[in-house]
Amino acid sequence: MSYRILFSPKSYRQLKAIKDKNLKERLKDALMEIGKDPWHRGTIKVEKYDNIRRKRVGRYRILYMVDTERKEVLVVKIEKRSETTYK
């Protein structure tokens, strides 16, 4: 059961802006895992939001929404963890 990965314009820019090639590869691998199973064990539902989940990759977080009817995952944000990450 595979899901198609879609990027919001903001998340696409955030991924492109990362200079560290090793980190970028780890993020891409994490996105592939999310595409295979958006609810796998390494993901957590974000509090106060019904449809947003997150995955931790080092100090970075991938925030995404799952559309089960269309079998799509929309990546909302990819950013370094801070006090404003989930706002």
Side-chain angles (χ1 to χ4, degrees):
M1 179 153 61
S2 183
Y3 286 75
R4 188 169 71 157
I5 303 286
L6 303 173
F7 291 89
S8 69
K10 181 177 183 173
S11 67
Y12 184 76
R13 285 191 309 270
Q14 289 170 328
L15 183 61
K16 286 288 210 182
I18 295 172
K19 302 292 184 211
D20 184 355
K21 290 182 182 180
N22 183 33
L23 174 62
K24 197 177 273 194
E25 278 302 312
R26 289 176 51 210
L27 287 167
K28 287 179 182 179
D29 290 343
L31 289 166
M32 295 299 285
E33 283 182 37
I34 291 169
K36 290 178 186 171
D37 182 12
W39 297 278
H40 74 278
R41 192 167 182 181
T43 66
I44 300 171
K45 181 186 169 297
V46 176
E47 290 182 20
K48 300 181 185 176
Y49 295 97
D50 292 333
N51 197 22
I52 296 182
R53 299 189 65 81
R54 68 181 183 197
K55 176 155 178 76
R56 178 179 165 212
V57 179
R59 295 192 64 185
Y60 280 76
R61 301 296 184 267
I62 300 172
L63 279 79
Y64 63 93
M65 297 171 32
V66 181
D67 185 345
T68 54
E69 292 178 12
R70 292 179 165 178
K71 293 197 153 231
E72 293 177 342
V73 172
L74 174 64
V75 179
V76 179
K77 279 187 185 182
I78 300 173
E79 64 185 11
K80 192 178 277 188
R81 173 70 166 94
S82 71
E83 292 299 318
T84 62
T85 301
Y86 306 116
K87 302 213 186 273

